[in-house]
Amino acid sequence: MEFTPKVLESCAEQLRARFPHLPIALAVVSGSGINLALPGGDKLAELSYQEVFPFPVHPLLGHRPTLSLWRVHGQGVVLFHGRFHLYQGYSAAEVAAIPRLAALWGASTYILTNAAGSLHPQIAPGSLVVLSDHLNLQGANPLVGEWGRWREPVFPDMSFAYDPQLRQLALSLARETGFAAWEGVYAGVLGPSYETPAEVRMLGQLGGTVVGMSTVQEVIAARHMGLRVLGLSLVTNYAAGIAAQPLTHQEVLEAGALAQAKLIRLITTLVERLVQP
Ligand code: HPA
């Protein structure tokens, strides 16, 4: 079946019919090596991506590809465990299916986490970078073609793609949680090879703070849908050439796992603040 806006609308309709009386307040997406939960929340369901999305789902590295649905103060919070990446061969529309589905299901806020490499010696692995902006270097845009014509605006403004209020809140809560917290720009590349040291120098000169292979397609689609966006990069490694050793995916997963408890605490606190009783 061709993946069209109509098909996605019917996926969202099925979810709303399956969980009536549960207004969805927000969605959280976790990246590589990060397994989110909401301790204290009431977990209502866990659905595999294959039952939810109308296209073939490959196994995702480091993830059970599922979403879990939680009730917090009578409202729904959806956690997406793992995302679709362009480098896996998914189209930009498929990569953008997560925020679009979240918005059609009723969410108004989209919190995304990702694993990223640091472009700056001061920003060490284990730090958290609250995203203030991004560079789309992926050569794709999820609004090309019928997905852009689907709804207004055809040319969405990206001046405040990452919500200023949410950024302030996240920065203060991240510090309280014990993260070295920074604010910065996400340089989104295609991957899946890591960058060369020359590319890492270029990304720094272009204004990037961290580099990763996800996020920007989702944020463009999320803004097109009118979602408020918060982006959090967990720094798992120094980008190539900043530290002496070569990079491995294992290192990225391990750093994600180490920071997991702190990240879960931060997300839980953010959700508590954003979902009012
Ligand atoms: N480069 C690109 N993507 C990444 C990195 C990196 O160094 N670390 C985690 N994701």
PDB file of all heavy atoms in Angstrom, residues 184-215:
ATOM      1  N   GLY A 184      22.385  24.336  22.133  1.00  0.00           N
ATOM      2  CA  GLY A 184      23.140  24.394  20.891  1.00  0.00           C
ATOM      3  C   GLY A 184      22.395  23.882  19.689  1.00  0.00           C
ATOM      4  O   GLY A 184      21.226  23.519  19.760  1.00  0.00           O
ATOM      5  N   VAL A 185      23.120  23.879  18.586  1.00  0.00           N
ATOM      6  CA  VAL A 185      22.552  23.605  17.264  1.00  0.00           C
ATOM      7  C   VAL A 185      22.884  22.171  16.842  1.00  0.00           C
ATOM      8  O   VAL A 185      24.032  21.742  16.930  1.00  0.00           O
ATOM      9  CB  VAL A 185      23.120  24.611  16.241  1.00  0.00           C
ATOM     10  CG1 VAL A 185      22.680  24.274  14.818  1.00  0.00           C
ATOM     11  CG2 VAL A 185      22.698  26.042  16.615  1.00  0.00           C
ATOM     12  N   TYR A 186      21.851  21.473  16.374  1.00  0.00           N
ATOM     13  CA  TYR A 186      21.995  20.088  15.914  1.00  0.00           C
ATOM     14  C   TYR A 186      22.303  20.080  14.423  1.00  0.00           C
ATOM     15  O   TYR A 186      21.494  20.562  13.620  1.00  0.00           O
ATOM     16  CB  TYR A 186      20.684  19.345  16.174  1.00  0.00           C
ATOM     17  CG  TYR A 186      20.673  17.878  15.815  1.00  0.00           C
ATOM     18  CD1 TYR A 186      21.058  16.914  16.739  1.00  0.00           C
ATOM     19  CD2 TYR A 186      20.237  17.450  14.559  1.00  0.00           C
ATOM     20  CE1 TYR A 186      21.018  15.560  16.425  1.00  0.00           C
ATOM     21  CE2 TYR A 186      20.199  16.095  14.242  1.00  0.00           C
ATOM     22  CZ  TYR A 186      20.592  15.163  15.178  1.00  0.00           C
ATOM     23  OH  TYR A 186      20.537  13.826  14.874  1.00  0.00           O
ATOM     24  N   ALA A 187      23.458  19.566  14.056  1.00  0.00           N
ATOM     25  CA  ALA A 187      23.781  19.400  12.639  1.00  0.00           C
ATOM     26  C   ALA A 187      23.293  18.018  12.228  1.00  0.00           C
ATOM     27  O   ALA A 187      23.832  17.006  12.676  1.00  0.00           O
ATOM     28  CB  ALA A 187      25.286  19.546  12.420  1.00  0.00           C
ATOM     29  N   GLY A 188      22.259  17.982  11.412  1.00  0.00           N
ATOM     30  CA  GLY A 188      21.659  16.704  11.012  1.00  0.00           C
ATOM     31  C   GLY A 188      22.256  16.233   9.698  1.00  0.00           C
ATOM     32  O   GLY A 188      22.118  16.913   8.681  1.00  0.00           O
ATOM     33  N   VAL A 189      22.939  15.098   9.732  1.00  0.00           N
ATOM     34  CA  VAL A 189      23.550  14.535   8.523  1.00  0.00           C
ATOM     35  C   VAL A 189      22.833  13.231   8.170  1.00  0.00           C
ATOM     36  O   VAL A 189      22.044  12.703   8.956  1.00  0.00           O
ATOM     37  CB  VAL A 189      25.065  14.293   8.723  1.00  0.00           C
ATOM     38  CG1 VAL A 189      25.793  15.608   8.961  1.00  0.00           C
ATOM     39  CG2 VAL A 189      25.321  13.324   9.886  1.00  0.00           C
ATOM     40  N   LEU A 190      23.135  12.709   6.970  1.00  0.00           N
ATOM     41  CA  LEU A 190      22.439  11.513   6.505  1.00  0.00           C
ATOM     42  C   LEU A 190      22.970  10.235   7.145  1.00  0.00           C
ATOM     43  O   LEU A 190      22.207   9.360   7.544  1.00  0.00           O
ATOM     44  CB  LEU A 190      22.563  11.440   4.973  1.00  0.00           C
ATOM     45  CG  LEU A 190      21.931  10.251   4.262  1.00  0.00           C
ATOM     46  CD1 LEU A 190      20.429  10.190   4.514  1.00  0.00           C
ATOM     47  CD2 LEU A 190      22.214  10.341   2.761  1.00  0.00           C
ATOM     48  N   GLY A 191      24.311  10.119   7.288  1.00  0.00           N
ATOM     49  CA  GLY A 191      24.881   8.863   7.750  1.00  0.00           C
ATOM     50  C   GLY A 191      24.734   7.800   6.673  1.00  0.00           C
ATOM     51  O   GLY A 191      24.360   8.109   5.552  1.00  0.00           O
ATOM     52  N   PRO A 192      24.915   6.493   6.985  1.00  0.00           N
ATOM     53  CA  PRO A 192      25.241   5.998   8.316  1.00  0.00           C
ATOM     54  C   PRO A 192      26.729   5.985   8.657  1.00  0.00           C
ATOM     55  O   PRO A 192      27.083   5.645   9.772  1.00  0.00           O
ATOM     56  CB  PRO A 192      24.708   4.559   8.275  1.00  0.00           C
ATOM     57  CG  PRO A 192      24.865   4.147   6.846  1.00  0.00           C
ATOM     58  CD  PRO A 192      24.632   5.405   6.043  1.00  0.00           C
ATOM     59  N   SER A 193      27.618   6.338   7.723  1.00  0.00           N
ATOM     60  CA  SER A 193      29.019   6.429   8.168  1.00  0.00           C
ATOM     61  C   SER A 193      29.124   7.643   9.083  1.00  0.00           C
ATOM     62  O   SER A 193      28.411   8.635   8.892  1.00  0.00           O
ATOM     63  CB  SER A 193      29.966   6.571   6.967  1.00  0.00           C
ATOM     64  OG  SER A 193      29.559   7.634   6.138  1.00  0.00           O
ATOM     65  N   TYR A 194      29.989   7.537  10.081  1.00  0.00           N
ATOM     66  CA  TYR A 194      30.270   8.711  10.897  1.00  0.00           C
ATOM     67  C   TYR A 194      31.036   9.714  10.033  1.00  0.00           C
ATOM     68  O   TYR A 194      31.506   9.393   8.939  1.00  0.00           O
ATOM     69  CB  TYR A 194      31.082   8.315  12.135  1.00  0.00           C
ATOM     70  CG  TYR A 194      30.256   7.547  13.162  1.00  0.00           C
ATOM     71  CD1 TYR A 194      30.588   6.242  13.506  1.00  0.00           C
ATOM     72  CD2 TYR A 194      29.158   8.143  13.782  1.00  0.00           C
ATOM     73  CE1 TYR A 194      29.836   5.538  14.456  1.00  0.00           C
ATOM     74  CE2 TYR A 194      28.407   7.449  14.721  1.00  0.00           C
ATOM     75  CZ  TYR A 194      28.750   6.151  15.059  1.00  0.00           C
ATOM     76  OH  TYR A 194      28.009   5.465  15.981  1.00  0.00           O
ATOM     77  N   GLU A 195      31.185  10.938  10.542  1.00  0.00           N
ATOM     78  CA  GLU A 195      31.822  11.999   9.777  1.00  0.00           C
ATOM     79  C   GLU A 195      33.334  11.780   9.715  1.00  0.00           C
ATOM     80  O   GLU A 195      33.916  11.160  10.605  1.00  0.00           O
ATOM     81  CB  GLU A 195      31.547  13.361  10.442  1.00  0.00           C
ATOM     82  CG  GLU A 195      30.093  13.689  10.573  1.00  0.00           C
ATOM     83  CD  GLU A 195      29.336  12.778  11.535  1.00  0.00           C
ATOM     84  OE1 GLU A 195      29.880  12.466  12.616  1.00  0.00           O
ATOM     85  OE2 GLU A 195      28.218  12.344  11.178  1.00  0.00           O
ATOM     86  N   THR A 196      33.933  12.387   8.723  1.00  0.00           N
ATOM     87  CA  THR A 196      35.393  12.455   8.714  1.00  0.00           C
ATOM     88  C   THR A 196      35.801  13.625   9.609  1.00  0.00           C
ATOM     89  O   THR A 196      34.991  14.542   9.853  1.00  0.00           O
ATOM     90  CB  THR A 196      35.938  12.718   7.299  1.00  0.00           C
ATOM     91  OG1 THR A 196      35.459  14.009   6.880  1.00  0.00           O
ATOM     92  CG2 THR A 196      35.480  11.648   6.308  1.00  0.00           C
ATOM     93  N   PRO A 197      37.054  13.636  10.066  1.00  0.00           N
ATOM     94  CA  PRO A 197      37.510  14.797  10.858  1.00  0.00           C
ATOM     95  C   PRO A 197      37.348  16.117  10.093  1.00  0.00           C
ATOM     96  O   PRO A 197      37.001  17.137  10.694  1.00  0.00           O
ATOM     97  CB  PRO A 197      38.980  14.470  11.143  1.00  0.00           C
ATOM     98  CG  PRO A 197      38.999  12.959  11.183  1.00  0.00           C
ATOM     99  CD  PRO A 197      38.031  12.521  10.104  1.00  0.00           C
ATOM    100  N   ALA A 198      37.550  16.111   8.771  1.00  0.00           N
ATOM    101  CA  ALA A 198      37.368  17.363   7.994  1.00  0.00           C
ATOM    102  C   ALA A 198      35.899  17.798   8.029  1.00  0.00           C
ATOM    103  O   ALA A 198      35.599  18.989   8.141  1.00  0.00           O
ATOM    104  CB  ALA A 198      37.831  17.164   6.550  1.00  0.00           C
ATOM    105  N   GLU A 199      34.990  16.834   7.938  1.00  0.00           N
ATOM    106  CA  GLU A 199      33.557  17.173   8.002  1.00  0.00           C
ATOM    107  C   GLU A 199      33.193  17.712   9.390  1.00  0.00           C
ATOM    108  O   GLU A 199      32.375  18.636   9.515  1.00  0.00           O
ATOM    109  CB  GLU A 199      32.706  15.942   7.657  1.00  0.00           C
ATOM    110  CG  GLU A 199      32.741  15.607   6.167  1.00  0.00           C
ATOM    111  CD  GLU A 199      32.278  14.187   5.839  1.00  0.00           C
ATOM    112  OE1 GLU A 199      32.135  13.352   6.760  1.00  0.00           O
ATOM    113  OE2 GLU A 199      32.085  13.916   4.647  1.00  0.00           O
ATOM    114  N   VAL A 200      33.804  17.134  10.407  1.00  0.00           N
ATOM    115  CA  VAL A 200      33.526  17.605  11.768  1.00  0.00           C
ATOM    116  C   VAL A 200      33.997  19.050  11.928  1.00  0.00           C
ATOM    117  O   VAL A 200      33.280  19.891  12.491  1.00  0.00           O
ATOM    118  CB  VAL A 200      34.177  16.658  12.813  1.00  0.00           C
ATOM    119  CG1 VAL A 200      34.189  17.288  14.204  1.00  0.00           C
ATOM    120  CG2 VAL A 200      33.426  15.324  12.826  1.00  0.00           C
ATOM    121  N   ARG A 201      35.140  19.388  11.382  1.00  0.00           N
ATOM    122  CA  ARG A 201      35.613  20.787  11.440  1.00  0.00           C
ATOM    123  C   ARG A 201      34.644  21.694  10.683  1.00  0.00           C
ATOM    124  O   ARG A 201      34.287  22.778  11.134  1.00  0.00           O
ATOM    125  CB  ARG A 201      37.023  20.912  10.841  1.00  0.00           C
ATOM    126  CG  ARG A 201      38.114  20.312  11.718  1.00  0.00           C
ATOM    127  CD  ARG A 201      39.514  20.733  11.243  1.00  0.00           C
ATOM    128  NE  ARG A 201      39.868  20.236   9.910  1.00  0.00           N
ATOM    129  CZ  ARG A 201      40.353  19.027   9.643  1.00  0.00           C
ATOM    130  NH1 ARG A 201      40.567  18.150  10.623  1.00  0.00           N
ATOM    131  NH2 ARG A 201      40.655  18.669   8.408  1.00  0.00           N
ATOM    132  N   MET A 202      34.175  21.222   9.521  1.00  0.00           N
ATOM    133  CA  MET A 202      33.223  22.015   8.728  1.00  0.00           C
ATOM    134  C   MET A 202      31.929  22.256   9.515  1.00  0.00           C
ATOM    135  O   MET A 202      31.399  23.375   9.557  1.00  0.00           O
ATOM    136  CB  MET A 202      32.909  21.279   7.425  1.00  0.00           C
ATOM    137  CG  MET A 202      31.805  21.930   6.598  1.00  0.00           C
ATOM    138  SD  MET A 202      31.294  20.934   5.192  1.00  0.00           S
ATOM    139  CE  MET A 202      30.315  19.665   5.991  1.00  0.00           C
ATOM    140  N   LEU A 203      31.408  21.197  10.159  1.00  0.00           N
ATOM    141  CA  LEU A 203      30.132  21.333  10.886  1.00  0.00           C
ATOM    142  C   LEU A 203      30.261  22.330  12.024  1.00  0.00           C
ATOM    143  O   LEU A 203      29.343  23.102  12.295  1.00  0.00           O
ATOM    144  CB  LEU A 203      29.667  19.961  11.402  1.00  0.00           C
ATOM    145  CG  LEU A 203      29.316  18.934  10.314  1.00  0.00           C
ATOM    146  CD1 LEU A 203      29.066  17.556  10.928  1.00  0.00           C
ATOM    147  CD2 LEU A 203      28.106  19.381   9.508  1.00  0.00           C
ATOM    148  N   GLY A 204      31.436  22.331  12.683  1.00  0.00           N
ATOM    149  CA  GLY A 204      31.681  23.309  13.744  1.00  0.00           C
ATOM    150  C   GLY A 204      31.684  24.720  13.171  1.00  0.00           C
ATOM    151  O   GLY A 204      31.092  25.644  13.730  1.00  0.00           O
ATOM    152  N   GLN A 205      32.336  24.879  12.008  1.00  0.00           N
ATOM    153  CA  GLN A 205      32.401  26.220  11.395  1.00  0.00           C
ATOM    154  C   GLN A 205      31.033  26.683  10.896  1.00  0.00           C
ATOM    155  O   GLN A 205      30.752  27.873  10.850  1.00  0.00           O
ATOM    156  CB  GLN A 205      33.419  26.227  10.255  1.00  0.00           C
ATOM    157  CG  GLN A 205      34.844  26.307  10.796  1.00  0.00           C
ATOM    158  CD  GLN A 205      35.901  26.030   9.733  1.00  0.00           C
ATOM    159  OE1 GLN A 205      35.602  26.039   8.541  1.00  0.00           O
ATOM    160  NE2 GLN A 205      37.116  25.781  10.188  1.00  0.00           N
ATOM    161  N   LEU A 206      30.177  25.734  10.552  1.00  0.00           N
ATOM    162  CA  LEU A 206      28.827  26.092  10.089  1.00  0.00           C
ATOM    163  C   LEU A 206      27.917  26.501  11.245  1.00  0.00           C
ATOM    164  O   LEU A 206      26.792  26.934  11.018  1.00  0.00           O
ATOM    165  CB  LEU A 206      28.188  24.909   9.352  1.00  0.00           C
ATOM    166  CG  LEU A 206      28.759  24.549   7.984  1.00  0.00           C
ATOM    167  CD1 LEU A 206      28.043  23.327   7.413  1.00  0.00           C
ATOM    168  CD2 LEU A 206      28.637  25.715   7.012  1.00  0.00           C
ATOM    169  N   GLY A 207      28.375  26.287  12.464  1.00  0.00           N
ATOM    170  CA  GLY A 207      27.549  26.685  13.602  1.00  0.00           C
ATOM    171  C   GLY A 207      26.929  25.524  14.352  1.00  0.00           C
ATOM    172  O   GLY A 207      26.084  25.730  15.227  1.00  0.00           O
ATOM    173  N   GLY A 208      27.332  24.316  14.025  1.00  0.00           N
ATOM    174  CA  GLY A 208      26.797  23.152  14.742  1.00  0.00           C
ATOM    175  C   GLY A 208      27.441  22.998  16.109  1.00  0.00           C
ATOM    176  O   GLY A 208      28.605  23.358  16.305  1.00  0.00           O
ATOM    177  N   THR A 209      26.680  22.461  17.030  1.00  0.00           N
ATOM    178  CA  THR A 209      27.177  22.154  18.377  1.00  0.00           C
ATOM    179  C   THR A 209      27.346  20.650  18.532  1.00  0.00           C
ATOM    180  O   THR A 209      28.305  20.177  19.133  1.00  0.00           O
ATOM    181  CB  THR A 209      26.163  22.672  19.429  1.00  0.00           C
ATOM    182  OG1 THR A 209      25.833  24.015  19.125  1.00  0.00           O
ATOM    183  CG2 THR A 209      26.734  22.576  20.842  1.00  0.00           C
ATOM    184  N   VAL A 210      26.351  19.907  18.010  1.00  0.00           N
ATOM    185  CA  VAL A 210      26.409  18.438  18.022  1.00  0.00           C
ATOM    186  C   VAL A 210      26.029  17.940  16.625  1.00  0.00           C
ATOM    187  O   VAL A 210      25.429  18.685  15.833  1.00  0.00           O
ATOM    188  CB  VAL A 210      25.441  17.824  19.073  1.00  0.00           C
ATOM    189  CG1 VAL A 210      25.915  18.092  20.482  1.00  0.00           C
ATOM    190  CG2 VAL A 210      24.005  18.314  18.863  1.00  0.00           C
ATOM    191  N   VAL A 211      26.359  16.683  16.361  1.00  0.00           N
ATOM    192  CA  VAL A 211      26.023  16.102  15.057  1.00  0.00           C
ATOM    193  C   VAL A 211      25.311  14.774  15.264  1.00  0.00           C
ATOM    194  O   VAL A 211      25.656  14.014  16.160  1.00  0.00           O
ATOM    195  CB  VAL A 211      27.285  15.927  14.170  1.00  0.00           C
ATOM    196  CG1 VAL A 211      28.369  15.103  14.871  1.00  0.00           C
ATOM    197  CG2 VAL A 211      26.942  15.292  12.820  1.00  0.00           C
ATOM    198  N   GLY A 212      24.300  14.533  14.424  1.00  0.00           N
ATOM    199  CA  GLY A 212      23.575  13.269  14.503  1.00  0.00           C
ATOM    200  C   GLY A 212      22.873  12.973  13.187  1.00  0.00           C
ATOM    201  O   GLY A 212      22.910  13.793  12.252  1.00  0.00           O
ATOM    202  N   MET A 213      22.244  11.807  13.136  1.00  0.00           N
ATOM    203  CA  MET A 213      21.667  11.316  11.872  1.00  0.00           C
ATOM    204  C   MET A 213      20.142  11.253  11.906  1.00  0.00           C
ATOM    205  O   MET A 213      19.538  10.513  11.128  1.00  0.00           O
ATOM    206  CB  MET A 213      22.229   9.927  11.561  1.00  0.00           C
ATOM    207  CG  MET A 213      23.749   9.867  11.522  1.00  0.00           C
ATOM    208  SD  MET A 213      24.321   8.166  11.435  1.00  0.00           S
ATOM    209  CE  MET A 213      26.092   8.389  11.709  1.00  0.00           C
ATOM    210  N   SER A 214      19.533  12.019  12.789  1.00  0.00           N
ATOM    211  CA  SER A 214      18.073  11.935  12.897  1.00  0.00           C
ATOM    212  C   SER A 214      17.477  13.333  13.027  1.00  0.00           C
ATOM    213  O   SER A 214      18.034  14.307  12.533  1.00  0.00           O
ATOM    214  CB  SER A 214      17.689  11.069  14.111  1.00  0.00           C
ATOM    215  OG  SER A 214      18.076  11.698  15.319  1.00  0.00           O
ATOM    216  N   THR A 215      16.331  13.423  13.646  1.00  0.00           N
ATOM    217  CA  THR A 215      15.750  14.639  14.234  1.00  0.00           C
ATOM    218  C   THR A 215      15.220  15.692  13.277  1.00  0.00           C
ATOM    219  O   THR A 215      14.090  16.158  13.423  1.00  0.00           O
ATOM    220  CB  THR A 215      16.757  15.266  15.245  1.00  0.00           C
ATOM    221  OG1 THR A 215      16.982  14.294  16.256  1.00  0.00           O
ATOM    222  CG2 THR A 215      16.285  16.561  15.844  1.00  0.00           C
TER     223      THR A 215
END
